[in-house]
Amino acid sequence: MNRIWFHFSKMGLAACLSHLDTIRTLERACRRAQLPLAYSQGFNPRPRLAFGPALPVGMESEAEFFEAQMHVEYAPLKAASELNHSLPAGLRVIKASQVAADVPSLSSLVAAAHYRALLPKPAQSVLAQAVSEVLHSEEWIIERPKKGKRDVRPLLHALELTGNRELHFTLASGQDGTLRPDDFLTALAHECHDCFNPVDARITRMGLLIKGKEGLGPFDKYF
Amino acid sequence: MLLVKELPQLLKRVSRPGRYIGGEFNEVQKDPREVDVRLALGFPDIYEIGMSHLGLKLLYHILNQRPDVWCERVFAPWHDMEELLRQEQLPLYTLESKSALCDMDIVGFTLQYEMTYTNILAMLDLGGIPLQGGDRSPSDPLIIAGGPGAFNPESLAPFFDVVVLGEGEEVIGELVDVYKEHAALERGVGWRQRLLQAWATIDGVYVPSGYTIAYNGDGTVKSIEPTTAQFPPVIRKRLVQDIASAPYPTDPVVPAMDVVHDRAMVEIFRGCGRGCRFCQAGTIYRPVRERPVEQVQSLARDILKHTGYDELSLVSLSSADHSCISPLVLSLLDEWEKEKVGISLPSLRVDTFSVGLAEQVQRVRKSGLTFAPEAGTQRLRNVINKGVTRDDLLTTTRAVFSAGWRLVKLYFMIGLPTEIEEDVEAIAELTYDVLHTYPRGKKGGKVNVSVAGFVPKPHTPFQWEAQDSVGMLESKQERLKQRFRTRRIDFSWHDAGLSVLEGAFSRGDRRLANVLLAAYRLGCRFDAWSDQVDLNKWEQAFEESGLDISFYAQRAREKDEVLPWSHLDSGVSQEFLWEERQRAYAGKHTPDCRHDVCSACGVCEGLNAGVVLCGQRSEP
């Protein structure tokens, strides 16, 4: 059994594809690339693929990951190259690496995600103030329609406004809780009295983080 | 092209934005400066529906094989996208290059179903193209139509420059070649007219503006006359006799989004020899031409390799009817099982052979098997020439249930010619009989029964019939609803108002174009979707146009009446159709011309064609 992890990007119009669309596309791309996939048993055999955290529709990403199990040894570099010839526009494999059998699953390892949001217009100072306030508070209660209130401050690991149009933030994503970037931006906009329209922000997932002994660390140590 | 950068952000405002992005695997990209002709193929429904259409894939493939042509795709925008386009003042664009539809040289639409016609108008309008052919200038694209609706496109006549009858594989290239000749000339006054006249000389090409329709006092058609000698009095369909030598799309565009019928498709034969009298497809696609087994196997290999699909569908009007279906299916199962590719047969005959076949292909009995008895009594089945007997059906469903399926789906029609109360009641009886073939005492067992209102179609023996009124259809549906009040039977029916609307347009004449235009302006879209159609607006559209829907739908036609499609020839003679109508009323069976006696419908003689079985031409 041979586990290969792929790091890929989802850019441009491919951002309009849902997580399920992406899964379907990857599965077919693996078949087109004639990768020797391992299949599950039973009446309806499925290829053994596993995916990283779902990305909401409309967001680009430079940090998407999926795992494919092969039933024979197969060079990750070759797999990456073959896949890149079989992918539609906007999806591209950046790196591929073999992963040992005892390494936990992708989804169980991921603890957080780093995002970048580009605001359509330069933000006013109210935004810098709101950012500072949020960072300095111990609690941040937000309310979602039909979902009630929750304290999301523990789910926010980092937040920075660079220049006056670029927000960088790291949100929890995984088994210990998840804060969606669009929900985060909506809440932040609310904090600065709607100083920007969260729907118009262009969000890109920049990286994934895993929980290590010294806190959150980069995911690509596995590559 | 200028909107590509803003598209991802704009599309955040609409549902299922994947419909509007293109970029799929096997999409064809070309440099517009290197081609002579740019075309767009338009499917008048949303992406998820249109992407399953084999005809679109076929023409896309044929056109893009030519280095001098670039063919792109465009689908109907959903309401939220139409709103977005209008708000942002953006044109409807092609998926490949994101060019405005009006930037194309030629735009082709497929006429699949009358209730998609308002979408065509929406697509033209949003694409920046004048709706009326008469209003188009030399810089506007030429608008062409094809598909089954081409056999009566009269309600669309003012909106289309050209309509192509029959199979498009060869004629599309001919149209492009003639276009190129004219494109090289100066586009002054009369340029369009000269091009249309040149196109009219190609077999199978119908130029609606080349004909004037005169009407009698009673509203029936008096005459359909060419305006000049350059337009032929009758246009006959095109036929590809040797489909095995014709091109086939082996690298179709693979959608990333979830679309209907999302699998590799190999067309295993064209046409159908059964001669069911209500069926238009059975007439217009004659004669039957089957692909040889080796070719199906080879096409399957190529398509699966180029697409990565894990399911293969054998497509035709009645797949289990292919003369070599058994060895074909067994060989495909043999070849593809280890690659984890499943095979599916969309439609089945009512016999245990088909069940055996289905058992082979459907490893997991997830969905039910579907059968179409269409009528409840043997008498009525004989009228429509559907040879299925009650015994056939029950033996088959018994076999289906004992093979492990828990669900059977049945299709029936109400409103068929000569139908009486007893026939409607028999639908219920037969359905229960089918349900009772499920093993006693075993848990489960269900029948889904779907009952559609019969719509008389042009170019069929029933083209002269009166359609049931809305009231008649509804009372029959109500009767059946009462009879089917059990959890083990799931009864579904089609809105009677929609059936009658379809009935009007199916046999409509040119005056209905006004109704269509009015309905479009009132906001009608996606009328094929029962939860979208607004029958009140359609009623208003008829009123505004001063036309009576029942004149088109409920009126029985006289034998000698000039039908609005009399100038369009499917190859099957009017004499044959009338003869079949008489045989229907007498309850006489007409055998399948593939294996039995030739019924002299006229198509083989008139088009110098013949039935092809397993790739071999057979003599009558």
Side-chain angles (χ1 to χ4, degrees):
Chain A
M1 200 247 285
N2 187 10
R3 291 169 75 188
I4 301 184
W5 280 7
F6 297 91
H7 171 186
F8 67 100
S9 60
K10 189 175 173 193
M11 305 297 285
L13 289 172
C16 295
L17 297 175
S18 72
H19 185 63
L20 285 177
D21 295 339
T22 310
I23 289 178
R24 185 179 306 115
T25 300
L26 288 170
E27 190 181 309
R28 290 193 187 140
C30 286
R31 293 183 69 97
R32 291 192 286 263
Q34 301 189 311
L35 299 183
L37 297 173
Y39 279 79
S40 63
Q41 314 281 31
F43 261 135
N44 198 16
R46 304 306 308 152
R48 290 190 188 274
L49 302 174
F51 298 89
L55 184 70
V57 176
M59 295 180 204
E60 290 176 301
S61 175
E62 291 175 15
E64 293 304 288
F65 297 84
F66 82 97
E67 171 183 314
Q69 283 184 34
M70 312 288 166
H71 65 81
V72 288
E73 288 287 310
Y74 199 84
L77 269 179
K78 179 160 188 243
S81 161
E82 293 296 319
L83 260 184
N84 274 333
H85 286 121
S86 304
L87 286 169
L91 295 178
R92 214 183 161 278
V93 173
I94 298 168
K95 269 187 279 193
S97 160
Q98 190 159 334
V99 169
D102 61 353
V103 169
S105 71
L106 270 175
S107 46
S108 66
L109 282 173
V110 175
H114 163 211
Y115 301 94
R116 177 191 69 203
L118 289 174
L119 304 178
K121 287 184 288 243
Q124 303 130 14
S125 54
V126 244
L127 180 57
Q129 263 167 37
V131 164
S132 177
E133 266 166 37
V134 163
L135 282 174
H136 287 103
S137 34
E138 275 185 28
E139 221 181 44
W140 187 23
I141 312 281
I142 65 169
E143 185 154 9
R144 275 179 74 188
K146 295 184 206 163
K147 300 224 175 173
K149 299 186 188 184
R150 66 170 172 155
D151 176 14
V152 296
R153 185 61 185 87
L155 301 173
L156 173 64
H157 298 303
L159 172 58
E160 193 186 330
L161 176 65
T162 54
N164 57 4
R165 291 181 66 170
E166 206 168 302
L167 277 167
H168 282 262
F169 46 98
T170 303
L171 307 177
S173 173
Q175 294 170 340
D176 294 333
T178 298
L179 178 55
R180 281 174 57 130
D182 42 0
D183 290 342
F184 166 75
L185 283 178
T186 304
L188 186 64
H190 185 67
E191 285 301 317
C192 73
H193 310 291
D194 299 322
C195 69
F196 70 93
N197 185 353
V199 174
D200 291 336
R202 195 163 163 164
I203 306 174
T204 307
R205 180 145 79 189
M206 307 296 290
L208 291 182
L209 296 128
I210 45 179
K211 196 161 168 187
K213 287 184 216 118
E214 298 94 32
L216 295 173
F219 191 69
D220 39 7
K221 77 170 208 197
Y222 285 98
F223 287 80
Chain B
M1 283 166 284
L2 41 89
L3 61 97
V4 176
K5 267 179 70 187
E6 288 123 49
L7 259 185
Q9 279 299 102
L10 285 172
L11 290 177
K12 281 165 96 168
R13 293 194 233 163
V14 302
S15 60
R16 314 199 98 214
R19 292 167 170 163
Y20 311 111
I21 59 176
E24 309 97 319
F25 193 76
N26 285 334
E27 179 192 61
V28 174
Q29 288 287 345
K30 293 194 182 186
D31 183 342
R33 294 164 301 184
E34 290 178 15
V35 299
D36 298 321
V37 184
R38 292 188 67 183
L39 276 123
L41 289 177
F43 191 93
D45 211 318
I46 50 171
Y47 179 89
E48 294 98 301
I49 308 270
M51 278 300 285
S52 67
H53 187 238
L54 191 53
L56 194 74
K57 297 181 211 280
L58 181 57
L59 291 178
Y60 187 79
H61 169 78
I62 290 174
L63 288 165
N64 281 322
Q65 290 281 93
R66 291 177 64 139
D68 57 343
V69 172
W70 188 13
C71 177
E72 306 182 52
R73 298 160 297 146
V74 63
F75 299 92
W78 192 245
H79 305 293
D80 51 6
M81 183 60 170
E82 177 171 345
E83 208 180 293
L84 175 68
L85 291 174
R86 288 193 196 276
Q87 251 170 39
E88 299 293 317
Q89 294 181 311
L90 292 168
L92 180 64
Y93 56 87
T94 57
L95 288 184
E96 281 75 358
S97 68
K98 317 294 187 289
S99 304
L101 202 54
C102 54
D103 287 346
M104 300 295 112
D105 296 312
I106 300 173
V107 180
F109 287 93
T110 175
L111 307 181
Q112 289 294 306
Y113 176 43
E114 295 81 0
M115 303 323 297
T116 59
Y117 292 177
T118 51
N119 290 347
I120 295 177
L121 296 185
M123 289 168 76
L124 287 172
D125 211 10
L126 290 167
I129 299 165
L131 292 181
Q132 310 266 4
D135 293 338
R136 290 171 197 148
S137 73
S139 58
D140 288 314
L142 278 308
I143 310 299
I144 68 181
F151 285 90
N152 181 23
E154 289 303 294
S155 60
L156 288 166
F159 315 117
F160 279 93
D161 296 309
V162 149
V163 177
V164 177
L165 266 64
E167 294 160 12
E169 286 107 315
E170 290 161 1
V171 64
I172 192 75
E174 293 163 19
L175 283 170
V176 167
D177 290 335
V178 170
Y179 176 82
K180 277 177 71 174
E181 286 167 25
H182 285 253
L185 307 170
E186 201 203 301
R187 295 192 193 208
V189 172
W191 179 83
R192 276 186 149 254
Q193 191 54 24
R194 284 189 292 277
L195 171 57
L196 294 181
Q197 278 166 358
W199 270 352
T201 63
I202 301 174
D203 278 343
V205 175
Y206 166 44
V207 177
S209 60
Y211 299 79
T212 6
I213 323 289
Y215 300 94
N216 292 313
D218 64 358
T220 56
V221 173
K222 181 171 170 190
S223 63
I224 303 170
E225 296 291 335
T227 53
T228 73
Q230 284 163 305
F231 299 103
V234 171
I235 301 96
R236 194 156 61 183
K237 78 170 189 188
R238 287 294 290 262
L239 170 78
V240 174
Q241 175 57 45
D242 185 6
I243 62 171
S245 313
Y248 193 86
T250 49
D251 48 2
V253 176
V254 184
M257 265 188 82
D258 195 11
V259 306
V260 305
H261 306 308
D262 200 8
R263 34 189 97 97
M265 293 185 196
V266 179
E267 176 199 49
I268 60 176
F269 68 89
R270 247 174 241 190
C272 178
R274 293 189 166 262
C276 301
R277 294 172 177 135
F278 54 84
C279 179
Q280 187 185 60
T283 309
I284 64 182
Y285 292 112
R286 290 187 174 213
V288 171
R289 290 147 289 149
E290 296 178 356
R291 273 185 213 280
V293 168
E294 301 73 41
Q295 195 191 34
V296 177
Q297 292 165 337
S298 150
L299 289 173
R301 252 169 243 136
D302 288 340
I303 299 170
L304 290 168
K305 182 164 165 211
H306 296 142
T307 58
Y309 275 121
D310 62 358
E311 211 179 315
L312 175 68
S313 181
L314 304 182
V315 176
S316 70
L317 291 173
S318 169
S319 293
D321 276 347
H322 190 288
S323 306
C324 303
I325 191 66
S326 191
L328 174 58
V329 166
L330 291 174
S331 71
L332 288 170
L333 284 169
D334 234 4
E335 189 175 348
W336 294 103
E337 181 142 31
K338 52 181 157 19
E339 306 282 332
K340 315 282 188 289
V341 173
I343 320 282
S344 69
L345 295 169
S347 41
L348 294 175
R349 282 201 310 242
V350 176
D351 61 28
T352 51
F353 166 76
S354 289
V355 180
L357 209 53
E359 270 186 280
Q360 299 270 32
V361 303
Q362 283 190 231
R363 283 176 270 120
V364 185
R365 317 242 186 284
K366 279 181 293 190
S367 51
L369 294 187
T370 306
F371 301 101
E374 304 294 10
T377 56
Q378 194 59 51
R379 185 201 70 81
L380 192 50
R381 284 194 295 272
N382 292 345
V383 167
I384 63 181
N385 208 42
K386 198 104 206 225
V388 174
T389 66
R390 181 177 170 280
D391 280 347
D392 285 340
L393 182 61
L394 298 183
T395 308
T396 303
T397 60
R398 194 169 289 117
V400 169
F401 287 137
S402 67
W405 274 277
R406 301 180 125 195
L407 173 69
V408 160
K409 302 181 205 174
L410 299 175
Y411 282 144
F412 288 99
M413 275 186 279
I414 45 174
L416 289 165
T418 76
E419 181 180 72
I420 52 179
E421 215 175 282
E422 182 193 311
D423 297 307
V424 179
E425 179 55 37
I427 292 177
E429 277 163 25
L430 192 54
T431 304
Y432 276 102
D433 287 344
V434 166
L435 183 62
H436 296 148
T437 60
Y438 191 80
R440 293 188 134 242
K442 186 174 169 193
K443 265 183 76 180
K446 210 166 160 267
V447 177
N448 287 358
V449 54
S450 173
V451 176
F454 168 62
V455 176
K457 293 278 183 198
H459 303 279
T460 65
F462 291 155
Q463 65 184 359
W464 294 275
E465 300 308 298
Q467 188 185 25
D468 269 10
S469 66
V470 172
M472 285 162 78
L473 289 173
E474 280 178 348
S475 79
K476 291 173 186 177
Q477 285 166 352
E478 192 51 45
R479 281 273 299 292
L480 290 171
K481 255 187 255 181
Q482 296 301 320
R483 288 284 274 121
F484 287 137
R485 288 194 132 144
T486 159
R487 256 183 302 136
R488 297 178 73 201
I489 294 183
D490 190 289
F491 171 49
S492 62
W493 63 94
H494 298 174
D495 186 298
L498 188 51
S499 292
V500 167
L501 189 53
E502 189 193 326
F505 275 87
S506 164
R507 292 182 299 169
D509 59 39
R510 227 168 249 214
R511 293 169 299 187
L512 282 186
N514 296 322
V515 178
L516 192 57
L517 195 54
Y520 165 69
R521 292 203 171 120
L522 287 168
C524 291
R525 305 280 190 278
F526 296 100
D527 307 294
W529 298 53
S530 55
D531 61 343
Q532 299 294 318
V533 67
D534 187 336
L535 293 171
N536 291 326
K537 287 193 180 145
W538 279 98
E539 208 180 299
Q540 201 184 327
F542 270 93
E543 255 171 58
E544 278 176 27
S545 315
L547 292 171
D548 174 15
I549 192 174
S550 63
F551 174 83
Y552 292 98
Q554 275 75 51
R555 184 176 63 89
R557 299 343 188 226
E558 298 294 314
K559 180 187 182 199
D560 300 313
E561 192 173 323
V562 176
L563 299 169
W565 53 90
S566 311
H567 53 317
L568 305 173
D569 183 8
S570 68
V572 171
S573 70
Q574 289 297 292
E575 290 73 45
F576 173 77
L577 292 177
W578 184 261
E579 170 66 24
E580 274 297 295
R581 182 193 182 275
Q582 302 307 93
R583 289 175 70 88
Y585 275 84
K588 286 198 205 152
H589 178 68
T590 297
D592 187 329
C593 69
R594 276 173 302 173
H595 309 294
D596 218 308
V597 178
C598 163
S599 38
C601 71
V603 80
C604 290
E605 208 184 292
L607 281 144
N608 197 19
V611 169
V612 177
L613 299 179
C614 288
Q616 305 281 17
R617 183 135 168 190
S618 71
E619 295 317 305

